Amino acid sequence: MSKFKKKTSTSQNIPTSALPDIIFMLLFFFMVTTVLREQEILVEQKIPQATQLQKLEKKTLISYLYIGKPKNVALFGTEPRVQANDVLINTKDIVLWVNQEKDKLSEAERDQITISMKADREVKMGPISDVQFELREADARKLLYAAVGKVQN
Amino acid sequence: MARKKGRLTQEVNAGSMADIAFLLLIFFLVTTTIASDKGILNVLPPKQDPNQPPPEIKLNERNIFNILVNANDQLLVEGEYIDNTDKLSEDIKDFILNFGAPDEEAIALFNSLPASLRNRAKRDPQSSDHPMTGGAVVSIKTNRGTSYERYLEVLDQVKRAYFEIYAERVGLTADQYRALSGKTPAEKELLDRGKEGIPMAISIAEPDKIGGI
């Protein structure tokens, strides 16, 4: 038996030095393709599904409205609320908010402002249509109902 | 030189580095969101002047495709109760491309359509006149109690009908057509050719208050 024993006693380790490189590559990929969460979302967000999705071209023109049941029920109640930037606002303040958002854009782009409405699927049409009415008042008529893709069968 | 015999190559143990990199990776996965600016685009009608009554639009009843959704998310399409929205987009396509009473312009449009779309024209006098402006409108009316999810599902089907018509006109699939950005002249030409003469006439009525909140 001892005849066949190997002479060298090198430990049979698999070289793992390439593993961190692979993980770092993954990490950089994720860092490049994602954006940091800019604001804390105070309302519940279960985005509905749809099939006919369109992508928006210019990100600078988009302002986000989040609609849903507040996460902090004790403080804000259970009725659906609207979140703009990082505060919950009342529906009638939307006009003011839209005008603030428009001021951030250049003169030529002001009428192209697009509102991306990220509404929870549980929300009823009542609050949604109120928001739509206010957006019409504020003359921000391009509206995107944010949705996630559904697998078509 | 004093050299040790049989020295192994000195390798730094990098196994824990992978763990550190994994920790970083997981941290980023948790704190970031993948940018998803996708959705269904809608253009709201302009603001109404309270001093002026809303403009009277003369439209025959047969030119309106009525979709009603009540507070229980039940659907009434053209006066008929339906269970699900699976066939809705096909019905809407039939409605849009009915060509019940086309004028000269609409006949020219009809002749420009590919054969597969022309076959859809049933020429039913009870249905829409032509797909051009004022000829066919899809109306969605919801209740304040309708869920947003159901509303989006219906709107999705209506959009699908239009996109499928557009895509078929330019010989693409609906997915390819929607992916066109219009940035290059060639893409823009395709987009315009698809839409030409068939505007996306979707009317979203104010929701009524009965039975809702």
Side-chain angles (χ1 to χ4, degrees):
Chain A
M1 280 295 278
S2 59
K3 244 184 182 177
F4 299 103
K5 207 178 185 181
K6 276 177 188 164
K7 275 168 192 166
T8 51
S9 57
T10 44
S11 55
Q12 291 286 310
N13 272 345
I14 304 166
T16 53
S17 54
L19 191 65
D21 298 355
I22 297 166
I23 310 297
F24 268 117
M25 256 165 55
L26 257 173
L27 175 64
F28 288 140
F29 169 74
F30 271 99
M31 280 170 73
V32 168
T33 51
T34 55
V35 281
L36 274 171
R37 195 167 279 180
E38 292 144 21
Q39 52 204 18
E40 196 191 348
I41 295 170
L42 302 168
V43 292
E44 274 181 28
Q45 290 275 282
K46 281 197 251 43
I47 302 292
Q49 291 183 324
T51 56
Q52 307 299 304
L53 303 179
Q54 285 170 287
K55 248 186 178 169
L56 281 182
E57 289 306 312
K58 273 193 165 176
K59 277 205 124 172
T60 48
L61 294 174
I62 310 172
S63 297
Y64 296 93
L65 271 186
Y66 304 91
I67 305 174
K69 207 172 87 179
K71 279 179 184 160
N72 190 341
V73 176
L75 208 59
F76 303 111
T78 52
E79 283 299 303
R81 294 288 300 269
V82 182
Q83 181 190 356
N85 300 333
D86 44 8
V87 283
L88 292 178
I89 58 170
N90 289 321
T91 315
K92 62 178 190 299
D93 297 329
I94 288 176
V95 177
L96 188 70
W97 172 76
V98 169
N99 287 328
Q100 282 169 355
E101 290 292 312
K102 277 187 180 175
D103 285 343
K104 290 180 191 165
L105 300 173
S106 68
E107 198 86 36
E109 289 174 328
R110 220 158 266 183
D111 51 344
Q112 294 175 44
I113 189 169
T114 308
I115 309 293
S116 175
M117 192 162 80
K118 299 200 169 184
D120 191 272
R121 63 178 79 157
E122 308 275 299
V123 179
K124 300 288 179 196
M125 278 309 286
I128 303 271
S129 71
D130 291 343
V131 170
Q132 284 181 358
F133 181 79
E134 292 296 327
L135 289 176
R136 278 172 67 186
E137 288 289 305
D139 203 30
R141 284 166 40 210
K142 277 183 89 177
L143 179 64
L144 182 87
Y145 300 110
V148 290
K150 181 161 66 176
V151 183
Q152 280 187 52
N153 38 358
Chain B
M1 267 195 153
R3 210 187 235 185
K4 272 182 195 167
K5 261 186 190 172
R7 195 165 78 166
L8 298 168
T9 46
Q10 288 289 309
E11 230 177 76
V12 182
N13 186 10
S16 54
M17 189 139 117
D19 298 354
I20 296 167
F22 258 123
L23 273 177
L24 263 171
L25 175 65
I26 289 164
F27 169 75
F28 267 97
L29 279 176
V30 169
T31 52
T32 54
T33 49
I34 293 174
S36 61
D37 278 318
K38 282 182 172 176
I40 298 178
L41 205 60
N42 182 22
V43 179
L44 300 171
K47 170 168 88 170
Q48 274 176 11
D49 193 341
N51 299 323
Q52 276 174 358
E56 287 274 326
I57 299 167
K58 269 196 186 169
L59 215 57
N60 288 324
E61 178 53 38
R62 64 171 187 274
N63 285 333
I64 306 172
F65 190 85
N66 275 309
I67 304 172
L68 295 165
V69 196
N70 75 0
N72 297 327
D73 288 356
Q74 288 163 321
L75 281 162
L76 197 70
V77 175
E78 287 284 79
E80 273 174 56
Y81 174 77
I82 61 165
D83 285 330
N84 53 39
T85 55
D86 295 348
K87 286 209 186 79
L88 192 57
S89 73
E90 291 299 309
D91 289 347
I92 293 166
K93 272 163 88 173
D94 282 338
F95 166 77
I96 298 165
L97 297 169
N98 180 55
F99 288 98
D103 50 20
E104 260 177 54
E105 257 182 283
I107 290 171
L109 172 75
F110 176 75
N111 290 328
S112 76
L113 292 176
S116 55
L117 291 179
R118 258 184 281 175
N119 289 341
R120 278 189 173 266
K122 294 207 173 77
R123 302 191 173 254
D124 181 359
Q126 300 299 314
S127 188
S128 79
D129 291 345
H130 54 77
M132 302 169 82
T133 311
V137 177
V138 181
S139 161
I140 305 174
K141 191 172 172 67
T142 57
N143 187 289
R144 285 184 74 86
T146 307
S147 76
Y148 177 62
E149 194 180 12
R150 190 67 161 179
Y151 163 72
L152 215 60
E153 191 185 323
V154 173
L155 187 62
D156 192 42
Q157 292 296 322
V158 180
K159 287 262 177 187
R160 180 175 169 185
Y162 276 105
F163 278 128
E164 279 176 6
I165 291 172
Y166 293 166
E168 212 161 325
R169 272 182 97 182
V170 291
L172 296 171
T173 65
D175 285 332
Q176 285 168 326
Y177 185 84
R178 272 184 289 115
L180 294 177
S181 62
K183 272 182 185 157
T184 60
E187 284 193 355
K188 199 160 170 36
E189 196 261 326
L190 276 179
L191 273 178
D192 291 343
R193 199 147 56 87
K195 273 187 236 177
E196 199 188 8
I198 309 182
M200 209 178 258
I202 305 172
S203 153
I204 294 160
E206 288 275 308
D208 54 27
K209 292 188 172 88
I210 310 152
I213 10 162

